[in-house]
Amino acid sequence: MEQCELIVLHTSDIHGNILPINYGNNKQTNSGLAKLATVFKNILKTSDCTILIDNGDLIQGTPLTYHFAKHLNELSNPIVSVMNDLGYDGAVIGNHEFNFGQGLLKNAIRESKFPWLSANIVKKQTKEPAFGKPYFIKTFPNGLRIAVLGVTTHYIPNWENPDNILGLEFLDAFETLNKWVEYLQENEQYDLLIVSYHGGFERDLETGAPTEQLTGENQAYRMCMEIAGIDILLTGHQHRQLSTQLNGVLVAQPGHMGQAFSKVSIKLEKLKGSWTIVEKASDNIAIDETTEPDGKIVELTSPYEDSTQNWLDEPLGEIVGDMRVHSPLEVRKKDHPLIEFINKIQMDAAGVDISATALFHNGAPGLPNKVTMRDIVSNYVYPNTLKVITVSGQDIKDALEKSAEYFILDDEGEIHVNPSFESPKPQHYNYDMWEGIEYHIDISKSHGNRVTLLKYKGETLKLSDPFNIVVNNYRAGGGGHFNMFKGKPVKKEIQTDMTELIANYIQRHREIEASCNDNWSVLPLK
């Protein structure tokens, strides 16, 4: 009886991490494709039946990929060069693939020696898959045929700058997957079906209880329960590590930044001329300090890395006073010089007097006294642009109430972060802080009633009045479930990335005073 073992190596949400380095402080990390490459090449040497798949959110996320996109894009994409060297069989298009526009994405696809998959991202006019065939079939010398089908969360229009997705339509991922699985069953010959879905789970895998608002952003639970014929479902987007089975479907999700990868093992036997699955298992394997980065990958990346490091070390100006982040929670509880500074830059660029921004992640260090580009990208980690939108006073109040959901109060009156903003995926970027208005948020009040003070220019803000406000493009489109902003009139778009706006502002003023006017606070104060 003929037997074989299929090994599937699965990465997801790499977010531009090639070298094992934290660009904020240049310290070594246990992450990135260079370290994964060492492990992958050893596995590929010992197995003659392997598939290597990336599940999306690949080409954006580090200063290296940002610097490439903005300053070196006449060269080959460094991420694609690495994946070509590793021999990836395919990649799924993730939501962050569009952050730098379709031109850069299409160049990456053109340079790739592997297909990019997404069955549900189609051309708006023809409804054809926008980026080539949505699946591929890999045939091995022993006759084993593996089908790999890719889909992407269709929630992208709720986040992405509309200019970056012109001409595209994002069909429901579940419905599209159901259709294409039926197509494969009727039109192709294969022994095993792998679905790679850049999306995650909307329900608890054990109880089936909803774990988030059922918006359609994540549909993996429903895919497992309602679509017959999927053998393996590779997932991502939520930055979780999962390895289990659900309704007979083997499920894997490897986390993010290349800190781990999923290794799926499928044992098969050939019975009456057909391959049959006899055993399947998956495991997430973490990278640690014992794994050395692959020399070839380091060499491929070196020109981009050297240029990026020089760019990051460019001196820009000075901060007088303290604009560092000593406690992320405290920054979010009352006005802070860093947040006020970013809001002032947004207002300066937009020519309006009301602005909102966020402390995007808990690792944001704030700005030291002598500022370089490295300090800016350590705090502002997304390639956001700005939009001026016209909203009502009621919209502003509703947005403040939405942000107020970030906090909970324990039995002793202490303020904590709402667990839903930390799990299953950290969403600290969905708590906004405002400049140009005065407000208090009282966490002891019920949801929807926590804004206890709201003023504009010293007077109670009128809920029926219109206001021009500046926010980033993600928020302007309603991202983070800020539906009150969705579809509002856009008065102005500032297409320069915020990192560049911050750098230009500091260079122009050279010396910035760290100050804040204490226009807002979260109660109770302790």
Side-chain angles (χ1 to χ4, degrees):
M1 182 183 299
E2 192 174 354
Q3 298 178 326
C4 75
E5 182 179 22
L6 171 70
I7 302 295
V8 181
L9 303 177
H10 164 220
T11 55
S12 189
D13 299 273
I14 292 292
H15 284 290
N17 284 270
I18 301 176
L19 302 178
I21 188 171
N22 179 334
Y23 285 95
N25 53 28
N26 268 352
K27 291 183 178 179
Q28 294 296 300
T29 62
N30 293 316
S31 62
L33 283 170
K35 281 203 168 194
L36 289 177
T38 299
V39 181
F40 288 172
K41 287 182 178 180
N42 287 334
I43 293 174
L44 294 170
K45 286 177 186 175
T46 59
S47 175
D48 56 4
C49 196
T50 59
I51 291 182
L52 182 51
I53 295 288
D54 185 81
N55 191 54
D57 279 5
L58 180 65
I59 62 176
Q60 172 277 339
T62 60
L64 185 144
T65 50
Y66 177 90
H67 183 59
F68 163 75
K70 296 298 180 180
H71 305 289
L72 300 175
N73 56 38
E74 74 282 359
L75 304 177
S76 298
N77 191 301
I79 291 280
V80 171
S81 297
V82 167
M83 295 179 70
N84 284 341
D85 179 76
L86 285 171
Y88 267 80
D89 292 290
V92 173
I93 293 173
N95 51 293
H96 283 286
E97 257 66 76
F98 295 96
N99 286 173
F100 296 122
Q102 288 186 57
L104 189 128
L105 172 57
K106 288 177 179 177
N107 284 341
I109 292 172
R110 190 161 43 246
E111 294 167 11
S112 300
K113 296 178 182 178
F114 51 87
W116 290 67
L117 312 175
S118 187
N120 64 310
I121 303 177
V122 300
K123 298 175 183 177
K124 189 170 288 186
Q125 290 188 334
T126 65
K127 309 303 180 186
E128 298 173 345
F131 300 100
K133 212 169 185 179
Y135 70 91
F136 68 86
I137 295 177
K138 184 171 183 177
T139 303
F140 294 93
N142 61 8
L144 179 68
R145 289 171 60 83
I146 307 299
V148 180
L149 172 61
V151 286
T152 306
T153 177
H154 58 261
Y155 217 60
I156 291 173
N158 292 278
W159 308 311
E160 189 54 74
N161 186 330
D163 291 338
N164 291 345
I165 54 175
L166 282 176
L168 300 178
E169 186 173 348
F170 297 82
L171 305 178
D172 184 279
F174 173 86
E175 299 295 343
T176 305
L177 177 60
N178 196 24
K179 182 188 79 171
W180 278 98
V181 169
E182 289 182 1
Y183 174 88
L184 287 171
Q185 290 169 336
E186 294 173 1
N187 295 278
E188 296 283 7
Q189 296 294 319
Y190 58 91
D191 300 293
L192 182 145
L193 174 59
I194 299 171
V195 171
S196 190
Y197 168 48
H198 188 80
F201 287 87
E202 73 279 27
R203 294 180 181 273
D204 184 274
L205 273 69
E206 293 185 1
T207 66
T211 54
E212 59 180 44
Q213 296 182 46
L214 299 180
T215 60
E217 177 182 349
N218 297 298
Q219 299 173 298
Y221 187 92
R222 189 182 177 199
M223 290 173 179
C224 290
M225 300 303 291
E226 298 183 32
I227 299 179
I230 302 172
D231 297 298
I232 302 169
L233 181 63
L234 307 177
T235 63
H237 186 55
Q238 292 174 314
H239 298 187
R240 302 167 70 183
Q241 288 196 24
L242 299 172
S243 181
T244 187
Q245 293 197 40
L246 180 63
N247 193 33
V249 180
L250 191 66
V251 169
Q253 189 173 149
H256 69 303
M257 296 171 61
Q259 296 172 346
F261 68 95
S262 297
K263 181 182 180 183
V264 177
S265 302
I266 309 292
K267 293 182 179 178
L268 304 104
E269 292 180 351
K270 201 167 192 179
L271 301 172
K272 298 180 180 178
S274 298
W275 288 101
T276 302
I277 299 171
V278 294
E279 186 179 333
K280 54 185 178 180
S282 69
D283 189 22
N284 286 322
I285 301 173
I287 300 302
D288 60 28
E289 60 278 355
T290 65
T291 304
E292 292 294 324
D294 179 79
K296 177 72 176 299
I297 301 305
V298 173
E299 181 183 347
L300 282 171
T301 312
S302 179
Y304 305 90
E305 176 69 7
D306 292 344
S307 181
T308 299
Q309 291 290 349
N310 290 333
W311 171 70
L312 287 172
D313 286 332
E314 292 176 8
L316 300 173
E318 294 188 10
I319 304 295
V320 178
D322 189 358
M323 207 178 279
R324 294 169 298 170
V325 173
H326 301 286
S327 163
L329 182 60
E330 292 305 312
V331 170
R332 297 184 180 108
K333 286 168 61 178
K334 60 183 178 180
D335 197 13
H336 185 276
L338 176 68
I339 302 304
E340 180 155 312
F341 176 56
I342 294 173
N343 271 323
K344 282 181 177 178
I345 292 171
Q346 293 189 173
M347 292 188 291
D348 178 75
V352 299
D353 61 1
I354 302 177
S355 172
T357 191
L359 184 69
F360 292 107
H361 63 112
N362 280 351
L367 295 177
N369 294 121
K370 295 190 181 297
V371 183
T372 66
M373 200 71 199
R374 187 184 306 279
D375 301 310
I376 293 174
V377 299
S378 297
N379 289 280
Y380 209 107
V381 294
Y382 298 108
N384 290 334
T385 56
L386 298 177
K387 288 189 177 183
V388 176
I389 57 175
T390 302
V391 301
S392 68
Q394 184 66 56
D395 293 327
I396 292 175
K397 182 179 185 300
D398 291 345
L400 288 168
E401 294 287 359
K402 181 65 182 172
S403 282
E405 296 174 9
Y406 182 80
F407 297 107
I408 58 173
L409 208 60
D410 68 16
D411 294 337
E412 297 179 355
E414 296 287 340
I415 293 176
H416 299 277
V417 178
N418 187 329
S420 67
F421 282 79
E422 296 186 296
S423 179
K425 177 182 178 179
Q427 298 182 56
H428 303 292
Y429 50 80
N430 281 331
Y431 171 75
D432 286 341
M433 294 158 280
W434 292 66
E435 188 62 32
I437 57 174
E438 299 173 59
Y439 63 96
H440 290 162
I441 293 174
D442 190 343
I443 306 306
S444 67
K445 306 293 185 183
S446 60
H447 286 298
N449 298 291
R450 289 180 163 182
V451 178
T452 56
L453 173 76
L454 182 54
K455 291 185 176 183
Y456 174 65
K457 295 185 176 180
E459 302 291 334
T460 299
L461 185 142
K462 294 181 180 179
L463 300 184
S464 59
D465 281 0
F467 298 89
N468 289 330
I469 68 170
V470 57
V471 291
N472 65 54
N473 59 284
Y474 173 77
R475 189 68 79 235
H481 305 299
F482 282 74
N483 298 323
M484 70 292 298
F485 295 155
K486 193 172 183 178
K488 289 295 161 58
V490 177
K491 301 301 250 185
K492 185 189 296 185
E493 295 187 44
I494 297 92
Q495 292 296 343
T496 305
D497 287 358
M498 265 302 292
T499 49
E500 293 181 40
L501 288 175
I502 296 170
N504 293 341
Y505 187 94
I506 294 174
Q507 285 181 311
R508 190 165 73 245
H509 291 82
R510 288 297 175 184
E511 190 173 278
I512 310 293
E513 183 180 352
S515 63
C516 58
N517 58 12
D518 298 317
N519 64 300
W520 66 273
S521 61
V522 174
L523 306 173
L525 293 172
K526 287 198 172 184

